[in-house]
Amino acid sequence: MFRPGCGPTPPCSQARLYVSTPGSLTLTDPPQPESPTSPADTPGRLPLPSAHRHHGRQGFRLDVKDALTPDPTNEDLFVVQDNKFAFSPGQLSKLLNPKSLDAFYALGGLAGLEKGLRTSRNAGLSNDETTLDGAVAFEDVVPRGTPKYGAHGDTEPLLKSARPATPTPAAHPAAGPFADRRRVFGANRLPEKKSKSLLELAWIAYNDKVLILLTVAAVVSLALGLYQTFGVPQPDGEPRVEWVEGVAIIIAIVIVVAIGTLNDYQMQRQFNTLNKKAGDRTVKVVRSGRSAEISVFDVMVGDVMHLFTGDVVPADGVFISGHGVKCDESSATGESDLLKKVAADDVFAVLQQVASGATPPADIEKLDPFIISGSKVHEGTGIFLVTAVGVNSSYGRIMMSMTDEQDDTPLQKKLNVLADWIAKFGGGAGLLLFLVLFIKFLAQLPNNHDSPGQKGQAFLRLFITSVTVIVVAVPEGLPLAVTLALAFATTRMLKDNNLVRQLMACETMGNATTVCSDKTGTLTQNKMTVVAATLGKSLSFGGTDAPVDEYAAGGPPPAINIPNVSLGDFVRGLSMTTKQLVVQANAVNSTAFEGVVDGEKTFVGSKTEVALLTFCSQHLGARPIQEERANADVVQVVPFDSKVKFSATVVKLPNGKFRAYVKGASEILLSRCTKVIAHPGNDRLTITDMTENDRAMFSHTITSYAGQTLRTIGSSFRDFESWPPAELAGQQELTAAEFDKIHRDMTLLAIFGIKDPLRPSVKDAIKDCRRAGVTVRMVTGDNILTGRAIARECGIYDPASGGIAMEGPEFRRKSEQELKALVPRLQVLARSSPEDKRILVRTLKELGETVAVTGDGTNDAPALKMADIGFAMGIAGTEVAKEAASIILMDDNFASIVKGIAWGRAVNDSVKKFLQFQLTVNLTAVVLTFVSAVASDEEQSVLNAVQLLWVNLIMDTFAALALATDPPAPSVLDRQPDKKTASLITTRMGKMIVGQALCQLAITLLLNFAGARLLGYDTSDAAQATHLRTLVFNTFVWLQIFNEVNNRRLDNNLNILEGATRNPFFLAITLTIVGGQILIIFLGGAAFQITPLSAREWGLSVGLGALSLPWGALIRLFPDAWADAAVRGLAALWPFGRPAAGDGSFAAPADDAPPPPPPLRTLTGLRGKRAATHIRRGFREYIHDQKERVMVKAFGGSRTDVSA
């Protein structure tokens, strides 16, 4: 049976009535279910409510016969084994698929949902719930005659085995909190994307065109080698090692793939870890009759959840009650208008009347009790009953049908252009080398008396050498370096309380030129305490310290005749009537509530409101906050509005009158007051008119508090004979702007001074910003006196240097020209609105600044989006602000922003270090291989394919790990930020690349061509010739090892070991390279075509390699101005092209511009599908697509791209 007291249960036939003309009722048959392909089921967009679609010419129709019909796409959601509840997830999904008043009525309204889900609208779920006894029947909670499965009647739908099952929640334990509820309705999280296995990652890593080409060449080489070894007679005493080279190349390829696979696997794990943390946040629910904060992942169907302005709703539900709740559902339904929410009981009462035969109201389509997950609470506060979570919610269904892709970051775009030119350079070098060696090979054929197998082996060596030049030339390690730098930085930034949501913020942050910071909670501790108060004009305590800001006084102060006493005497001087008035003014006009944080009972909510409630609780004898609110007859709530700087609550008094309590900015409230509390010690409330002297005295009190860095909050009230008053023309829902019409003739109750001390690290952090060339501006809602005093205290405001402070109303009235003139000197923007912040950000960007801005409110979203880097507060920030931001400050601390700047610079520096190192090796290896192979009688490079693959492994994977994981050194903040148009390769980097390449080429070419004569080797002796080639190889590798150390710095500072001990990766990888080289020299043997070296030769190799260090010091001492002049003189010969005008990257000529390249493979917590499926693809494909074009021309073959 239906809940008593809700009117008679309508018969089934009445539930099918609709109105064709006003006043006439017509019976209809149940409509057929919607087609699965109807617009209602379009993925990613929810249709309008059924009332919208059925109103119009035919009128509103209430039809429970079809309300719960399963859709063909989700029949499995209607079938639940051992269901302890009255409803299945499928039946609940009909509420919002689309919004359906039919389904809402069919499920029994709020009362039916409350009973069917075994919860309470007042007490919420029980904290002690685990498994449930018994079950609630569907028939017991819905209107009589409602079919359980809509058009299917009470027959359970048959699942179609051929149809893939709808994604279901992961298996849940049979015991534990909310076990049955979790089993039936799932958890509030989406299933994790399946990670790639090691084998899948290995295949992706191997799926590289050059590696495949090398594999083919190695297999052919191995086949010929085996034929020569076992099929051709060999002279006695010669080792049969012709097969070794093919095997060595295969082993080298396996090692390269294995290292890349393990790196990708590690980064995939970092991605998964970061992704789990990214979506977690706390929400407020009612559990066991008390408000509590829980993780959003712990929200259950049946929970009663709080709604606050700025929240992003985490689950579907129906609205229980609240004040002025309006939601922005544009992201879910496409409905651009704000939708006002109507209490579910009110909607159900109307539907009952319609079902009983009444004419539907004209505005029935506006009855919207539905709360949609993913929507944003734009106004008001309230509570709602959760009906769907996770994959069963509207937002969950949308997310399951979408993939998230992120654009390339600015650094990645620059690297793509550079990589294009490097690939062309390497491909051209390989092609030219192949042509030269092939011509030599053909010219020597008439005098070549080797066997066909030996000739084939010689040609393969020629081919492999040419291909290996391309392998060495292209920057295979560049995407790995970028990935490692970003993944390492984002992971470490999370430890520094910076949660990176957008990759480009990681690098952009390093070049920020200005930070617009909030005050409360960012520069201050957000631990507010009432330390001063003035009650009426008869009593006060605290607030007697000297002002920090000498400008606060503004002239001789008026005489203050209000006695200032200790806090104890202040409390004793208040009557119970006055205490109760102050308590009620703060208790009912507040959104904070009592809760448990870290095991301690405290207030949870706005820090200002928490401070006031704590003062009332500890000193004025306030009862529990929920009891105070329950005893007050609240008739109207006006939520806080940043435009008017106040909130209000209207209560009905026992005498039948109405009292409006207002709380907000003290100077604004003072301007609206004409009366004041006279004698707070009297049992009877006495009010007197406020004189001009009184007003001046209170104004000076506010100024004095502000000068002491206290936040001032005013409290006032006004009594009305009736509500709403005549001035509001009977409006039922009020915004603060509308309430402002009657915000006059108020009575001043109190002015509170709230202390929020500076964070201990703020002063040093602001000094670091100044050192780094970053200007800090404070944007605050406080008055200009408080803002200026705190800005001076923490080092932001310095009028002696020309800095100015201004209030928002004055700021926003300035013209564009005036703004551009004053903004460079603006240091404090007080009494600012979110629009003021947006104007400030826009103006700074127009002036060419790279802007970082902090925000915590819903209205801060435009400024956060507009800024180059938006920082949302992780603790105090609304979900809308977090969604708009690119980085979330987990601790709301300004010092974390400075750490973000340092890490951003470290990312850019890491990539540049690796680029500087790799381009040096690229240039040296290509020229050395080319020159030595052409000069060789056997067309053989001094560095063979296996040796070059080892060098390639050093400069790619190992160097990326070593150089891309450097944490930021303290000196990273000792320089000015780079401009947006700064070149990727600076003059300083260029001189190091060219200088080191010349040094390495001089040493290796000297050893190769003159080493025999200088060191006494007899090259006619095969053993001594091998010794010389081994010496050249060993020296070349040691040159790279020492150059890697040399490249730890990008500037001209000679201390290249700064911070080396703080990077265990660098130390471990350097030792690994050294150990690997020693093993190769002693054990490499035939595979590397080398021989063990003597101690003298080892000393010579290491000594010559160490020349990189003093040579690097000389290069640093070479004036940058001379290098600039040389670059300008040789600009036409620069191999990577000239920088385009206004662009800091190296650009191709306009007539030969390549198509936009695929993105670099990058990996962080918000990468989505691309990180899971193409971890090593994008950048590699781009490079090798360019390379393949050159190689195809050289070596023949199809040009068709079959990679897709």
Side-chain angles (χ1 to χ4, degrees):
M1 295 297 294
F2 196 60
R3 182 170 65 95
C6 288
T9 303
C12 184
S13 60
Q14 287 180 324
R16 298 162 52 202
L17 293 175
Y18 75 91
V19 181
S20 57
T21 59
S24 65
L25 299 174
T26 307
L27 286 172
T28 68
D29 293 325
Q32 295 300 315
E34 285 185 329
S35 167
T37 58
S38 69
D41 295 321
T42 303
R45 187 70 68 188
L46 296 176
L48 294 175
S50 57
H52 288 212
R53 293 182 288 114
H54 293 162
H55 198 57
R57 185 167 58 87
Q58 287 188 330
F60 175 76
R61 178 179 63 206
L62 183 60
D63 182 7
V64 298
K65 287 295 185 181
D66 187 53
L68 303 181
T69 302
D71 295 326
T73 57
N74 66 355
E75 290 175 342
D76 55 321
L77 295 180
F78 287 76
V79 181
V80 178
Q81 301 297 324
D82 189 26
N83 192 353
K84 303 292 184 68
F85 305 91
F87 309 121
S88 64
Q91 290 164 331
L92 294 174
S93 72
K94 298 297 290 185
L95 288 169
L96 292 166
N97 191 26
K99 289 182 180 178
S100 173
L101 293 176
D102 296 339
F104 176 67
Y105 181 79
L107 294 176
L110 178 60
L113 290 168
E114 182 182 10
K115 185 176 180 182
L117 296 178
R118 306 179 72 165
T119 184
S120 166
R121 70 180 73 185
N122 297 318
L125 298 179
S126 170
N127 285 319
D128 300 324
E129 179 183 321
T130 53
T131 56
L132 296 171
D133 297 327
V136 178
F138 177 82
E139 296 77 12
D140 292 341
V141 298
V142 301
R144 189 174 66 247
T146 302
K148 191 172 184 179
Y149 301 108
H152 296 288
D154 292 332
T155 304
E156 188 175 272
L158 297 176
L159 300 182
K160 300 176 183 178
S161 58
R163 178 179 57 82
T166 302
T168 55
H172 301 290
F178 308 105
D180 281 330
R181 195 174 298 273
R182 195 182 298 268
R183 173 181 59 82
V184 173
F185 300 111
N188 194 32
R189 64 172 74 229
L190 300 180
E192 295 181 10
K193 296 182 182 294
K194 183 182 178 183
S195 298
K196 294 286 185 184
S197 66
L198 279 173
L199 287 178
E200 290 173 312
L201 293 174
W203 173 249
I204 294 172
Y206 177 71
N207 196 6
D208 180 303
K209 296 178 180 65
V210 172
L211 287 181
I212 293 174
L213 190 60
L214 274 179
T215 304
V216 173
V219 170
V220 175
S221 176
L222 177 61
L224 286 176
L226 290 173
Y227 170 74
Q228 284 184 303
T229 299
F230 300 107
V232 178
Q234 298 281 345
D236 294 337
E238 284 195 12
R240 296 175 177 269
V241 293
E242 289 81 2
W243 56 272
V244 170
E245 184 174 19
V247 172
I249 295 175
I250 293 174
I251 292 175
I253 292 171
V254 169
I255 292 175
V256 170
V257 171
I259 295 293
T261 300
L262 292 175
N263 281 329
D264 285 339
Y265 181 72
Q266 176 64 25
M267 287 183 289
Q268 183 175 256
R269 289 178 58 194
Q270 291 177 345
F271 160 76
N272 290 335
T273 301
L274 196 60
N275 200 32
K276 289 177 182 177
K277 294 178 180 178
D280 196 8
R281 57 187 171 94
T282 58
V283 293
K284 299 177 179 67
V285 298
V286 178
R287 293 271 177 94
S288 298
R290 303 182 67 85
S291 295
E293 283 191 327
I294 64 172
S295 168
V296 70
F297 297 142
D298 294 333
V299 174
M300 294 281 112
V301 169
D303 261 322
V304 174
M305 180 174 292
H306 288 275
L307 292 172
F308 298 103
T309 301
D311 283 354
V312 174
V313 181
D316 291 341
V318 294
F319 185 57
I320 298 175
S321 64
H323 300 279
V325 174
K326 292 183 179 179
C327 292
D328 176 5
E329 298 177 355
S330 57
S331 61
T333 66
E335 180 70 56
S336 58
D337 295 334
L338 295 179
L339 299 180
K340 178 185 174 183
K341 299 302 171 181
V342 182
D345 281 342
D346 296 340
V347 176
F348 190 72
V350 173
L351 295 179
Q352 278 188 308
Q353 294 173 5
V354 173
S356 301
T359 301
D363 61 346
I364 192 169
E365 70 274 5
K366 295 183 180 180
L367 298 181
D368 185 359
F370 304 108
I371 304 294
I372 298 182
S373 55
S375 63
K376 302 165 187 176
V377 182
H378 194 270
E379 297 176 10
T381 59
I383 56 175
F384 75 100
L385 177 67
V386 176
T387 59
V389 296
V391 295
N392 297 325
S393 67
S394 304
Y395 181 73
R397 288 195 297 269
I398 293 173
M399 293 304 294
M400 291 296 290
S401 64
M402 294 173 60
T403 57
D404 186 22
E405 294 275 339
Q406 255 183 309
D407 295 332
D408 287 351
T409 69
L411 177 62
Q412 291 169 340
K413 292 176 181 177
K414 290 182 180 182
L415 289 174
N416 278 339
V417 177
L418 178 62
D420 176 39
W421 283 97
I422 296 175
K424 290 179 179 178
F425 169 72
L431 171 62
L432 182 60
L433 179 60
F434 175 77
L435 291 176
V436 172
L437 296 183
F438 186 58
I439 291 171
K440 282 188 64 179
F441 175 77
L442 293 177
Q444 294 172 357
L445 274 180
N447 300 321
N448 190 338
H449 303 294
D450 291 339
S451 65
Q454 291 173 326
K455 291 178 182 177
Q457 193 80 341
F459 176 78
L460 271 177
R461 279 197 298 270
L462 175 157
F463 179 78
I464 289 171
T465 299
S466 301
V467 174
T468 307
V469 166
I470 302 175
V471 174
V472 174
V474 295
E476 301 292 339
L478 196 52
L480 178 60
V482 177
T483 302
L484 282 171
L486 289 171
F488 184 74
T490 51
T491 304
R492 292 294 296 271
M493 285 176 72
L494 187 60
K495 295 180 180 178
D496 287 337
N497 297 305
N498 286 272
L499 175 59
V500 179
R501 297 185 69 249
Q502 296 176 8
L503 271 182
M504 67 175 60
C506 204
E507 30 181 271
T508 308
M509 191 62 218
N511 297 322
T513 58
T514 184
V515 178
C516 300
S517 174
D518 289 339
K519 175 184 72 68
T520 303
T522 307
L523 298 172
T524 61
Q525 297 181 27
N526 206 14
K527 296 180 179 178
M528 297 188 176
T529 306
V530 176
V531 295
T534 297
L535 194 67
K537 59 179 186 179
S538 303
L539 197 61
S540 68
F541 80 92
T544 57
D545 296 337
V548 173
D549 186 1
E550 63 266 26
Y551 296 91
I560 297 180
N561 300 318
I562 303 176
N564 190 276
V565 298
S566 66
L567 175 58
D569 291 339
F570 176 86
V571 173
R572 286 189 288 271
L574 301 179
S575 66
M576 288 303 300
T577 301
T578 305
K579 288 182 180 178
Q580 183 57 33
L581 180 65
V582 175
V583 168
Q584 189 174 65
N586 285 295
V588 300
N589 191 14
S590 172
T591 58
F593 61 90
E594 288 177 302
V596 177
V597 178
D598 298 330
E600 295 184 5
K601 187 176 179 181
T602 184
F603 293 103
V604 179
S606 161
K607 299 299 181 181
T608 301
E609 294 184 339
V610 167
L612 292 171
L613 292 177
T614 301
F615 176 77
C616 292
S617 176
Q618 293 180 351
H619 301 292
L620 302 183
R623 293 169 294 184
I625 191 69
Q626 288 178 314
E627 185 178 339
E628 293 285 355
R629 290 172 180 168
N631 291 336
D633 186 2
V634 177
V635 297
Q636 191 86 55
V637 173
V638 181
F640 178 81
D641 189 330
S642 59
K643 294 180 180 178
V644 293
K645 303 292 184 183
F646 66 79
S647 63
T649 300
V650 182
V651 299
K652 187 174 182 180
L653 301 176
N655 61 9
K657 293 184 178 181
F658 296 86
R659 178 170 291 167
Y661 291 108
V662 181
K663 178 180 64 183
S666 52
E667 64 270 26
I668 292 178
L669 264 64
L670 177 62
S671 67
R672 305 301 176 91
C673 290
T674 58
K675 301 179 179 63
V676 62
I677 293 289
H679 302 290
N682 293 348
D683 290 335
R684 184 176 179 179
L685 183 62
T686 55
I687 298 173
T688 185
D689 291 335
M690 183 184 294
T691 66
E692 287 304 314
N693 287 337
D694 293 339
R695 189 177 302 277
M697 180 179 62
F698 289 129
S699 180
H700 178 72
T701 299
I702 295 171
T703 302
S704 175
Y705 284 178
Q708 299 169 55
T709 71
L710 303 184
R711 165 173 279 193
T712 61
I713 299 294
S715 179
S716 63
F717 68 93
R718 177 185 171 187
D719 290 346
F720 295 86
E721 293 296 328
S722 63
W723 190 264
E727 296 96 324
L728 296 180
Q731 294 185 28
Q732 295 299 316
E733 295 291 345
L734 292 182
T735 63
E738 292 165 339
F739 183 86
D740 206 37
K741 299 174 183 177
I742 59 168
H743 191 197
R744 61 179 184 273
D745 297 329
M746 306 294 292
T747 299
L748 181 66
L749 175 59
I751 298 172
F752 297 98
I754 301 176
K755 181 70 174 179
D756 185 11
L758 286 179
R759 290 181 180 271
S761 57
V762 159
K763 293 183 180 179
D764 290 337
I766 290 175
K767 289 179 182 177
D768 289 338
C769 284
R770 290 185 182 276
R771 183 161 53 93
V774 180
T775 302
V776 181
R777 294 173 169 86
M778 188 173 80
V779 184
T780 178
D782 277 343
N783 63 54
I784 193 167
L785 299 174
T786 303
R788 197 165 56 190
I790 293 179
R792 178 185 290 274
E793 184 180 0
C794 61
I796 292 176
Y797 181 53
D798 183 15
S801 65
I804 59 176
M806 183 176 291
E807 288 193 326
E810 180 185 358
F811 176 79
R812 70 180 76 110
R813 287 195 297 266
K814 299 291 184 182
S815 66
E816 292 286 337
Q817 292 74 18
E818 290 174 324
L819 285 174
K820 290 182 179 180
L822 72 86
V823 160
R825 297 186 295 120
L826 182 68
Q827 294 175 341
V828 178
L829 185 59
R831 281 292 175 226
S832 66
S833 68
E835 178 63 16
D836 297 331
K837 185 183 290 188
R838 191 191 66 81
I839 294 171
L840 175 61
V841 171
R842 185 197 67 203
T843 306
L844 286 168
K845 292 188 71 174
E846 289 174 353
L847 292 171
E849 303 275 2
T850 301
V851 185
V853 65
T854 67
D856 56 7
T858 300
N859 291 334
D860 287 328
L864 291 170
K865 277 288 188 184
M866 179 177 287
D868 295 288
I869 313 102
F871 284 91
M873 303 297 105
I875 299 173
T878 64
E879 295 310 313
V880 175
K882 293 176 186 177
E883 188 176 277
S886 46
I887 298 178
I888 297 176
L889 288 180
M890 306 301 287
D891 60 350
D892 293 9
N893 191 347
F894 182 84
S896 297
I897 298 178
V898 180
K899 293 176 183 177
I901 294 174
W903 274 109
R905 294 188 177 187
V907 167
N908 288 300
D909 287 356
S910 293
V911 175
K912 287 184 175 181
K913 289 175 189 176
F914 176 77
L915 190 59
Q916 179 175 287
F917 171 76
Q918 189 172 55
L919 291 181
T920 303
V921 187
N922 283 354
L923 188 59
T924 306
V926 170
V927 173
L928 179 62
T929 303
F930 189 96
V931 172
S932 61
V934 171
S936 170
D937 294 334
E938 301 176 355
E939 296 83 38
Q940 196 169 4
S941 167
V942 66
L943 300 178
N944 62 38
V946 179
Q947 293 170 358
L948 283 173
L949 284 174
W950 166 243
V951 172
N952 193 53
L953 187 64
I954 291 174
M955 74 179 189
D956 280 355
T957 302
F958 288 146
L961 284 167
L963 295 175
T965 54
D966 264 344
S971 60
V972 80
L973 296 176
D974 289 337
R975 67 173 191 261
Q976 298 295 304
D978 293 335
K979 296 181 179 178
K980 293 179 180 179
T981 56
S983 175
L984 186 60
I985 300 177
T986 63
T987 302
R988 197 169 288 168
M989 291 172 62
K991 74 176 183 180
M992 184 61 69
I993 292 169
V994 174
Q996 286 289 350
L998 290 174
C999 173
Q1000 294 182 14
L1001 283 172
I1003 292 172
T1004 50
L1005 289 176
L1006 182 67
L1007 285 177
N1008 184 52
F1009 293 110
R1013 185 170 67 257
L1014 294 175
L1015 301 176
Y1017 288 106
D1018 181 7
T1019 53
S1020 61
D1021 183 353
Q1024 292 195 39
T1026 303
H1027 261 276
L1028 180 59
R1029 287 197 299 272
T1030 304
L1031 179 64
V1032 174
F1033 167 62
N1034 197 34
T1035 302
F1036 183 79
V1037 171
W1038 278 100
L1039 281 166
Q1040 310 317 316
I1041 293 173
F1042 283 106
N1043 190 37
E1044 182 183 295
V1045 178
N1046 178 66
N1047 279 296
R1048 292 196 68 255
R1049 289 204 81 102
L1050 291 171
D1051 55 20
N1052 287 331
N1053 193 304
L1054 298 181
N1055 182 12
I1056 58 177
L1057 295 177
E1058 180 186 6
T1061 56
R1062 296 189 296 114
N1063 186 359
F1065 289 100
F1066 177 82
L1067 298 175
I1069 289 163
T1070 302
L1071 292 175
T1072 299
I1073 296 174
V1074 171
Q1077 182 64 14
I1078 293 173
L1079 289 175
I1080 286 172
I1081 295 299
F1082 282 105
L1083 304 177
F1088 283 80
Q1089 298 178 6
I1090 55 177
T1091 186
L1093 298 178
S1094 64
R1096 169 178 168 272
E1097 291 165 331
W1098 268 105
L1100 184 62
S1101 299
V1102 176
L1104 290 174
L1107 288 178
S1108 286
L1109 300 181
W1111 182 252
L1114 290 176
I1115 294 172
R1116 287 186 168 89
L1117 294 175
F1118 186 81
D1120 290 345
W1122 294 5
D1124 275 328
V1127 169
R1128 284 193 297 270
L1130 300 174
L1133 303 178
W1134 185 250
F1136 305 130
R1138 293 190 296 268
D1143 182 13
S1145 62
F1146 288 87
D1151 58 350
D1152 189 31
L1160 283 164
R1161 78 179 167 94
T1162 50
L1163 191 61
T1164 67
L1166 299 172
R1167 291 301 294 160
K1169 184 178 180 181
R1170 183 166 65 184
T1173 58
H1174 294 293
I1175 291 181
R1176 287 187 62 92
R1177 293 293 296 164
F1179 191 75
R1180 285 181 176 274
E1181 286 184 342
Y1182 172 68
I1183 292 173
H1184 293 302
D1185 285 347
Q1186 304 298 325
K1187 184 169 50 184
E1188 189 185 51
R1189 297 175 187 174
V1190 180
M1191 294 172 57
V1192 164
K1193 295 178 183 178
F1195 307 126
S1198 171
R1199 300 186 184 187
T1200 304
D1201 184 8
V1202 296
S1203 61

